Amino acid sequence: MAKQKTQNKTNWFFLFIVLFLIGCMSEQEKNEIKYDNLLFECDKQLEIMKDPYNSFGFNPSKAYKVSTEEYDFSLYPSGRMITIKILEFVEDEEYEKLIQILETYYKDNNVVKKIFRNQGGTVNIDCRRGY
């Protein structure tokens, strides 16, 4: 019983330290983590499209739809395109920043053909073969 109480105190102490460190992070560090998680999820979905004959189909199941850990972004693949939606209301500058980050990150990736903003307000990563 005493061992369990000690372990509970240790768990609470560890949780407090983690929350304290997260609270001390700068806004820039939080944004870097947010975009790192998005890029990680995009990389997983782009891995499927490395083979030029693979695609998600035109009506993929919801199993392919992904949200990042912090629920900042939603990714939805369709065909050979990945649609990224920011899940909170943001200004146009935030979408332009997202496009710049994606273009910089994928500039040497031969699977990604084009990154653009949709008229619906989402960002698309285009991996179609016709270019």
Side-chain angles (χ1 to χ4, degrees), residues 48-98:
I48 294 171
M49 290 192 235
K50 280 192 175 178
D51 180 352
Y53 300 104
N54 284 343
S55 78
F56 290 98
F58 290 106
N59 192 11
S61 70
K62 291 185 180 182
Y64 290 117
K65 188 173 181 178
V66 177
S67 294
T68 58
E69 287 181 20
E70 299 84 17
Y71 301 104
D72 295 322
F73 303 100
S74 174
L75 288 83
Y76 186 78
S78 179
R80 291 188 59 84
M81 295 181 75
I82 299 172
T83 302
I84 302 170
K85 180 179 180 182
I86 300 176
L87 295 178
E88 58 186 43
F89 179 77
V90 293
E91 299 294 326
D92 288 340
E93 293 83 27
E94 190 68 28
Y95 279 99
E96 295 304 320
K97 179 180 174 184
L98 174 60

Side-chain angles (χ1 to χ4, degrees), residues 96-112:
E96 295 304 320
K97 179 180 174 184
L98 174 60
I99 290 171
Q100 286 179 338
I101 289 169
L102 291 170
E103 286 176 340
T104 303
Y105 186 75
Y106 290 118
K107 69 180 176 191
D108 296 327
N109 188 323
N110 61 355
V111 174
V112 176

Side-chain angles (χ1 to χ4, degrees), residues 2-18:
K3 185 176 181 180
Q4 185 180 8
K5 285 183 181 181
T6 305
Q7 188 172 2
N8 285 342
K9 287 181 183 179
T10 304
N11 290 344
W12 281 107
F13 180 73
F14 179 72
L15 180 64
F16 173 75
I17 294 291
V18 169

